[in-house]
Amino acid sequence: MNRPIGIGGAILLSLVLSACGGDESSSASDKQQGQQKPPTQAQVLDVKARDIGLSKTYPGMIRSDQEVTVMGRVEGILEARHYREGSLVEKGDKLFTIEPAPYEATVEQRQADVQSAQAELYRAQRDAERYARLYKQNSVSQQQRDQSQADLRTAQASVAQAKAALDSAQINLSYTEVNAPVSGMISLSEVNVGNLVRPPQQLATITPLNPIEVRFSLPADDAFALRRQRQRGAKEADAAVLTAPSTGSATREPLKLSGELDFLGSRVDENTSTVQAEATFRNQDGLFLPGQFVRVTLPNVKRYGVFAVPAVAVTEGLKGPQVYIVNADGKAEARFVSLGEVAGDWQIITQGLDSGDRVVVSGIGSISPGDKIDPQPFSGSAEDPQDKAGENPSQKADAKGGEGAEGSQDKAQTDGGQNGAN
């Protein structure tokens, strides 16, 4: 009975050892397969200097440089107001009437003075002609002739003086009718009808609403870039877009106007390191008003000769923002970089990359340092440029050496971004 049991135990022991041996060979096989992991396919961008467009946004305030204060220029009772307060008026429209009667009487008096002076001039001219004939006949002395000539000149001066007084009176009479010097929206009346107007007294304010101007300040670097573009004849550098954020809602985009940059300051403010600028916009509907705070976007601010990679290629490492490059052995290698500005889906790199480096731009989440890379040509598509500023942790404002994503708004043009990608 002991023998069969011994045979059964031997068989069982053999099975156990066989199983253990099978596990060891399976583990060794898996380890061998891990060492022979196939290269990871990923798109790779060859780094080289390129020109890239940025969209820069700045806060500003609407102005109306042609705003006019309507003043009373003659004294008198305000007889009438001819406009509706807060309405749009056209240049030349009648606004106020100041009692004209005293000034009409003055004009009539000055007209009479002119007629009297002209009559005296007629008499002096006839006397001068008669004395000139008598002097030739030796009937009067030279002194008498000279006196007649002097009386003639005095009469001529009196006529000129009377006409000047008449012109002044007519001007004062015209001031009794106050007309709009410019077109625009008129304010409330500062003087009620029936009150005495004493010059110079403010009667109302007219604010032209088309066009409108927006003054804002931009960093010195942006001003330098715009000047370079202007020197190169890039007219698109003057394009500007006005946006009023407060006019947007959940179902409607904020109101916008298209215009152009018409002034770029000639000096840098020492306190803020900014340059003053002004853009002009057509405000056909009169919806935007002076004093309103808005945002001005310059969509075509270029940076020349910079290194840029798709923003998806930048990740946050232990020491800061990093990218993966393919080294000479064909393996992924982490490279720490300093970030510049964001241009839509493109990230400008200020330090850490050299011309000719090969940066991995796809499948970043599945790649680790040391992985073998099967490089694929970059498709040249970092998607359409969109405002993704701030979504990537590597684009934070305190990222190593970088300016962060602040300042990149709306759409950005990536001129040369695709053409330079191989």
Side-chain angles (χ1 to χ4, degrees):
M1 292 179 63
N2 291 336
R3 185 174 182 180
I5 293 175
I7 295 172
I11 294 173
L12 180 61
L13 179 60
S14 175
L15 292 174
V16 171
L17 293 174
S18 175
C20 291
D23 289 343
E24 291 178 359
S25 66
S26 176
S27 177
S29 176
D30 291 343
K31 186 175 181 181
Q32 185 177 6
Q33 290 178 0
Q35 293 176 349
Q36 298 177 354
K37 179 182 177 181
T40 302
Q41 286 191 351
Q43 293 187 18
V44 175
L45 169 69
D46 292 337
V47 176
K48 64 179 180 179
R50 68 185 67 196
D51 300 338
I52 193 166
L54 302 176
S55 179
K56 309 288 287 187
T57 299
Y58 317 93
M61 187 178 71
I62 297 177
R63 298 168 51 91
S64 180
D65 292 343
Q66 299 180 4
E67 185 175 81
V68 174
T69 299
V70 181
M71 308 293 292
R73 304 178 68 176
V74 292
E75 183 176 332
I77 300 299
L78 187 64
E79 287 190 349
R81 187 184 73 234
H82 304 284
Y83 68 91
R84 183 169 58 87
E85 295 173 315
S87 64
L88 290 173
V89 297
E90 296 295 330
K91 181 178 180 179
D93 287 354
K94 184 188 295 186
L95 303 179
F96 300 96
T97 297
I98 300 172
E99 59 173 337
Y103 300 96
E104 291 173 347
T106 301
V107 168
E108 292 175 357
Q109 182 180 355
R110 298 293 179 261
Q111 289 175 340
D113 292 342
V114 170
Q115 293 175 356
S116 176
Q118 288 175 338
E120 181 63 25
L121 173 62
Y122 176 77
R123 183 197 63 77
Q125 188 172 6
R126 295 299 299 271
D127 287 347
E129 292 174 354
R130 184 170 58 255
Y131 275 98
R133 290 195 304 270
L134 294 175
Y135 177 73
K136 291 179 179 180
Q137 299 172 0
N138 295 322
S139 300
V140 295
S141 66
Q142 182 178 354
Q143 181 180 4
Q144 290 175 310
R145 187 202 64 174
D146 292 344
Q147 182 63 46
S148 66
Q149 293 292 329
D151 292 342
L152 174 60
R153 289 182 174 85
T154 301
Q156 291 173 340
S158 296
V159 171
Q161 185 176 7
K163 287 183 177 180
L166 175 60
D167 291 341
S168 179
Q170 290 175 332
I171 290 173
N172 288 335
L173 176 61
S174 68
Y175 288 158
T176 62
E177 183 178 291
V178 182
N179 299 322
V182 295
S183 300
M185 182 175 290
I186 193 166
S187 68
L188 295 171
S189 175
E190 300 291 338
V191 181
N192 294 329
V193 174
N195 288 350
L196 178 65
V197 176
R198 294 181 182 274
Q201 184 168 353
Q202 180 174 339
L203 301 179
T205 300
I206 300 177
T207 305
L209 298 181
N210 186 29
I212 54 175
E213 299 82 25
V214 178
R215 287 190 181 179
F216 57 98
S217 297
L218 64 162
D221 290 345
D222 293 347
F224 176 75
L226 288 172
R227 289 191 180 281
R228 287 189 65 187
Q229 288 179 250
R230 284 181 164 186
Q231 289 177 353
R232 298 187 179 194
K235 294 183 179 180
E236 66 273 9
D238 292 335
V241 177
L242 180 151
T243 305
S246 60
T247 61
S249 67
T251 58
R252 184 181 63 187
E253 292 291 327
L255 296 177
K256 296 184 178 182
L257 294 177
S258 296
E260 63 179 8
L261 185 71
D262 62 354
F263 172 78
L264 187 60
S266 58
R267 68 183 305 272
V268 177
D269 190 299
E270 298 176 357
N271 297 321
T272 61
S273 294
T274 59
V275 177
Q276 191 177 46
E278 183 178 87
T280 303
F281 302 88
R282 302 295 298 176
N283 186 28
Q284 298 285 0
D285 298 329
L287 297 177
F288 293 86
L289 301 177
Q292 183 177 355
F293 287 95
V294 294
R295 293 185 180 275
V296 177
T297 299
L298 303 180
N300 300 316
V301 181
K302 281 195 174 182
R303 296 289 186 262
Y304 294 99
V306 297
F307 292 148
V309 299
V312 294
V314 183
T315 59
E316 191 69 19
L318 295 177
K319 297 182 180 180
Q322 66 179 16
V323 297
Y324 285 113
I325 67 169
V326 180
N327 60 21
D329 297 331
K331 296 181 180 180
E333 176 183 321
R335 177 79 62 83
F336 294 105
V337 294
S338 297
L339 305 184
E341 298 162 297
V342 175
D345 285 336
W346 290 82
Q347 173 69 61
I348 295 178
I349 306 297
T350 58
Q351 292 181 0
L353 292 180
D354 296 318
S355 182
D357 285 341
R358 298 188 297 165
V359 177
V360 179
V361 296
S362 69
I364 307 299
S366 62
I367 295 176
S368 300
D371 286 355
K372 193 73 174 179
I373 302 297
D374 179 12
Q376 303 296 315
F378 178 47
S379 65
S381 154
E383 302 179 352
D384 290 336
Q386 298 175 357
D387 182 13
K388 298 183 179 296
E391 293 183 5
N392 191 332
S394 66
Q395 299 172 6
K396 294 181 180 178
D398 57 354
K400 177 182 177 183
E403 298 177 17
E406 185 176 359
S408 279
Q409 302 287 339
D410 302 352
K411 291 188 176 181
Q413 295 185 356
T414 55
D415 183 21
Q418 297 183 0
N419 295 333
N422 297 320

